[in-house]
């Protein structure tokens, strides 16, 4: 696993241009391993007429068969026996269907330097202790979601004094406790140590609005930060544009937008994306993103919206080398950002599917005879 | 946004408005009366101004610029002539004029007339832009006060349509209230439902169940639930290229999103090879139709591509023999030849089931979907048409059309087996004591 390890130990986390050849070698190494050890993956490559040896140049990566994430939801795809994988994570899952991805010790060892480099690049590590409010799930042995693990991980960026969770595990289920969180915020705001928030943007926003509606405006200790992760997906209706979010954070907590950091990742593509000071998700060296045409799946140039193909050779335990999520996104030239990073950045626009689909046939009436169609 | 008394208000006004609403409505109902002619005149004028392009700017502003031509071509359905005929067909001519039953059989005579149900709460579902406004129009045509709960996806088109209508006929302003209350604000919805004599709900089982739980005892529930439609091809389909092409166009044009859209194509046969031959012949027609009407919504196109890729990859993992149905894939369309005969909803967007259903099996199979059936697009020999039409009706089908015309509006048609306007009125009887001959309704003296 020479090339894979070398990629994840590469010292410059956003030097994608300088790592194209290394990335190709790591992808070929991973692909060969999966092909030899995973019969399901081999069946896919054979079915598509692809062989790992066909990965000769960097551009050949686009020809690598792409596995849509629902495949990992419908069946177990592990390459190694579960006993050899210390961590098995699931996606948050909608409708009770989860992707299952297993990680080996080697996978985790590759992940660690990546996290250190990306988080370090954004200067989130500090020796100064902090209090933590987690707008997410309190870890529990029954909870295998990646989002819970990463939220907990983010509380390890500094020594921690207290952790308060917005979602507590009580009587076999998670219950939100925003009032408890508000009380904790008020308490921690009087501390001399910084307060750090980590978790779902939606809960963070709810809590800020609750404080604002009560006329509360705090000056949190210097060094306080808001870290966001887990996406807006459950709360599309409450989704606010980011500028409104930043304005409210300034008003309620006196936190400037340079101290608001957002993470993005998926269990099927466990690469840590961290936004830059201009709040763009630049692609780090550990992954590559190809936006594909929604009809032909052909790769699209910068600036075009399409299906999001995420590629990373990090994991051996599960063949998540090249996956496709159910998001529509756009990749932009990194130079357009202006933050100094040159690697391209990804914008997730929306979920695939007809927006707010309501069809009579599928279960909800919709159209109008006025438009010439009978309902 | 809220529309009340012809004025657009912010969400923050909702609570004040709700406190006063019952009094407003009572006032209106005690003092004012809306006759059908007033409503028709206003809609007719709105339609003509729409056709003349007067509202194009507004339509663009609410994000419907791509639909301007389509909307304009349907303004004929807003014309006085069409609306008058609709009202006459559904309620009878001069529906609000009382009829008199003379005393007989030892019983007193009565004067009978149709009056509005009173106050209607419309729970409009859907992503179709003008359905919410249209359900209100039906309430207005029958003289009701209308409370409308907008669907989440409404981009503002409903409010401007109704505001323009009030601009044309200010008397309508006391009969229209629009709320953008979210579906999970049960408290507000229950308050609105508490003021209603009838609750008109558009939607699937979820919406209907929710509306039932909101409805106070005594409120009339008017449910426009989901329906499923299919095409039925009997006899030799090979000679019917023209009709099959029309069916293909119907499928891709409606994207199978309507209750009247074809979900399954049935062939009157027991022979699976006939189904396969049909698929081979029909796929090029479907593809050609798709060429003319590509999937416009990028999200929908992406969903189809992703689903296709997923099933392709899964077939590679499991071996394609595991697939119970044979798929015929075209560009952005697909036919699936299935062994069973069940009527099921398709995967939409040009992806149709093709199944066997011999005539003698029609009733037992379709009866399993009772209450959910709507349109059958029938293709058959002329000599069998009457018999098959009759059989389909006995199965519970409410509309029998040509395969290509499954979603076309027909003059005088009902909606899911009923005339909507009839459900928005009630019949009242006023006893005429023996010996009285004069009809006292003042409207007749005018």
């Amino acid at each position: 696993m020479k090339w894979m390890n070398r990629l994840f130990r590469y010292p410059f986390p956003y030097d994608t241009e300088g790592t194209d050849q290394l990335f190709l070698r790591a992808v070929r190494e991973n692909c060969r391993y999966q092909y030899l050890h995973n019969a399901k993956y081999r069946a896919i490559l054979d079915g598509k007429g692809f062989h790992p040896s066909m990965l000769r140049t960097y551009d050949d990566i686009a020809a690598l068969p792409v596995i849509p994430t629902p495949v990992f939801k419908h069946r177990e795809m592990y390459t190694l026996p579960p006993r050899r994988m210390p961590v098995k994570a699931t996606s948050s899952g909608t409708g009770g269907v989860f992707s299952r991805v297993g990680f080996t010790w080697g996978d985790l060892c590759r992940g660690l330097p990546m996290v250190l480099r990306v988080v370090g690049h954004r200067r989130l590590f500090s020796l100064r202790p902090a209090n933590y409010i987690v707008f997410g799930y309190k870890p529990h042995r029954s909870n295998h979601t990646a989002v819970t693990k990463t939220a907990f991980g983010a509380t390890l960026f500094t020594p921690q004094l207290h952790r308060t969770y917005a979602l507590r595990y009580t009587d076999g289920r998670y219950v939100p406790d925003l009032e408890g969180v508000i009380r904790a915020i008020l308490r921690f705001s009087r501390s001399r140590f910084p307060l750090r928030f980590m978790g779902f943007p939606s809960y963070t926003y709810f809590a800020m609005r609750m404080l604002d509606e009560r006329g509360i405006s705090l000056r949190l200790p210097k060094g306080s930060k808001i870290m966001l992760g887990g996406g807006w997906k459950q709360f599309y209706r409450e989704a606010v544009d980011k500028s409104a979010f930043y304005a409210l954070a300034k008003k309620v907590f006196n936190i400037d937008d340079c101290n608001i950091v957002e993470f993005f990742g998926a269990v099927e593509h466990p690469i840590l994306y961290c936004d830059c000071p201009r709040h763009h998700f630049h692609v780090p060296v550990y992954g590559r993103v190809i936006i594909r045409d929604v009809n032909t799946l052909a790769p699209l140039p910068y600036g075009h919206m399409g299906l999001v193909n995420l590629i990373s050779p990090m994991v051996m335990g599960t063949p998540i080398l090249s996956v496709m999520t159910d998001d529509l996104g756009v990749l932009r030239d990194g130079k357009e950002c202006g933050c100094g990073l040159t690697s391209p950045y990804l914008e997730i626009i929306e979920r695939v599917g007809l927006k707010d689909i309501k069809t009579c046939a599928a279960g909800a009436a919709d159209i109008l005879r006025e438009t010439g169609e009978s309902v | 946004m809220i529309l009340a008394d012809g004025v657009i208000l912010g969400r923050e006004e909702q609570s004040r408005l709700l406190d006063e609403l019952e009094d407003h409505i009572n006032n209106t109902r005690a003092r004012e009366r809306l006759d059908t002619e007033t409503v028709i005149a206003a809609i007719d004028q709105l339609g003509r101004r729409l056709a003349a392009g007067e509202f194009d700017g507004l339509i663009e502003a609410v994000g419907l610029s791509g639909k301007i031509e389509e909307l304009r071509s349907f303004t004929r359905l807003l014309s006085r002539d069409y609306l008058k005929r609709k009202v006459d067909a559904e309620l009878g001519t001069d529906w609000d004029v009382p009829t008199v039953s003379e005393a007989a059989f030892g019983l007193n005579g009565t004067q009978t007339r149709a009056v509005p149900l009173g106050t209607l709460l419309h729970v409009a579902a859907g992503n179709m832009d003008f359905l919410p406004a249209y359900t209100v129009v039906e309430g207005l045509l029958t003289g009701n006060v209308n409370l409308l709960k907008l669907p989440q996806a409404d981009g503002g088109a409903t409010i401007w349509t109704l505001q323009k209508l009030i601009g044309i006929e200010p008397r309508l302003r006391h009969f229209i209230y629009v709320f953008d209350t979210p579906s999970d604000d049960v408290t507000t919805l229950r308050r609105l439902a508490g003021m209603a004599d009838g609750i008109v709900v558009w939607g699937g089982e979820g919406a209907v169940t929710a509306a039932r739980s909101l409805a106070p005892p005594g409120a009339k529930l008017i449910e426009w639930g989901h329906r499923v439609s299919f095409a039925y091809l009997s006899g030799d389909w090979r000679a019917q290229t023209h009709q099959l092409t029309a069916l293909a166009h119907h499928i891709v044009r409606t994207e199978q999103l309507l209750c009247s859209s074809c979900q399954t194509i049935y062939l009157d046969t027991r022979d699976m090879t006939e189904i396969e031959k049909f698929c081979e012949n029909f796929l090029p027609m479907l593809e050609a139709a798709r060429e003319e009407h590509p999937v416009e919504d990028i999200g929908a196109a992406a969903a189809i591509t992703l689903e296709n890729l997923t099933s392709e990859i899964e077939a590679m993992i499991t071996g394609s023999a595991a697939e119970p149905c044979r798929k015929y894939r075209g560009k952005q369309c697909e036919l699936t030849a299935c062994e069973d005969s069940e009527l099921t909803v398709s995967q939409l967007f040009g992806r149709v089931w093709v199944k066997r259903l011999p005539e003698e099996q029609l009733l037992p199979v379709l009866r399993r979907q009772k209450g959910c059936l709507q349109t059958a697009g029938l293709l058959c020999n002329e000599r069998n048409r009457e018999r098959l039409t009759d059989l389909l009706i006995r199965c519970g089908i409410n509309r029998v059309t040509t395969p290509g015309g499954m979603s076309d509006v027909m003059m005088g048609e009902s909606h899911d087996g009923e005339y909507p306007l009839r459900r928005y009125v009630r019949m009242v009887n006023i006893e005429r004591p023996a010996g009285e001959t004069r009809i006292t309704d003042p409207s007749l003296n005018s």
Side-chain angles (χ1 to χ4, degrees), chain A residues 229-304:
Chain A
W232 292 95
K233 283 173 185 170
Q234 300 98 315
F235 299 95
Y236 273 129
R237 189 162 62 76
E238 286 291 341
V240 284
D241 69 86
K242 288 186 179 179
S243 55
F245 188 100
Y246 302 143
L248 194 56
K250 179 72 185 163
K251 185 178 172 197
V252 179
F253 294 140
N254 195 32
I255 290 183
D256 292 313
D257 89 73
C258 59
N259 282 314
I260 301 176
V261 181
E262 192 171 351
F263 298 109
F264 163 80
V267 66
E268 303 91 349
H269 181 71
I271 299 306
L272 186 64
Y273 288 72
C274 179
D275 67 355
C276 70
R278 299 201 173 196
H279 302 295
H280 292 136
F281 290 111
H282 292 269
V283 181
V285 293
Y286 323 103
R288 293 295 187 272
V289 176
I290 298 175
I291 300 295
R292 293 183 181 269
D293 182 275
V294 296
N295 294 310
T296 63
L297 292 177
L300 293 173
Y302 288 146
H304 290 258

Side-chain angles (χ1 to χ4, degrees), chain B residues 151-275:
Chain B
Q152 223 89 72
D154 197 271
T158 306
I159 289 203
W160 77 249
T161 307
L162 294 174
Q163 206 190 17
K164 287 288 160 207
L165 197 62
I166 292 169
I168 291 166
E169 178 47 85
R171 275 182 286 176
L172 297 178
R173 72 184 190 281
H174 293 151
F175 291 84
I176 300 173
Y177 298 88
V178 185
F179 296 86
D180 63 350
T181 311
S183 304
D184 52 10
D185 184 357
V186 180
T187 320
T188 303
L189 293 177
R190 191 158 280 139
R191 285 184 78 181
L192 289 171
M195 298 178 208
D197 301 281
I199 299 176
V200 183
V201 53
W202 298 79
E205 275 172 35
V208 170
T209 313
R212 282 183 185 166
S213 71
L214 287 175
K220 180 174 171 180
L221 264 174
I222 300 148
E223 299 168 359
W224 302 114
H226 71 92
R227 292 288 190 279
V228 185
S229 301
F230 59 88
Y232 192 74
L233 316 185
S234 177
D236 189 13
W237 46 265
R238 287 171 183 78
Q240 307 281 355
T241 317
H242 178 67
Q243 295 260 35
L244 292 179
T245 305
L247 174 61
H249 277 264
H250 154 80
I251 289 167
V252 295
R253 205 167 44 81
T254 68
E255 298 292 9
Q256 299 166 282
L257 294 173
L258 312 183
C259 289
S260 54
S261 295
C262 176
Q263 305 294 330
T264 299
I265 299 173
Y266 280 127
L267 263 60
D268 182 3
T269 180
R270 290 176 181 283
D271 183 4
M272 207 55 207
T273 54
E274 184 74 356
I275 297 287

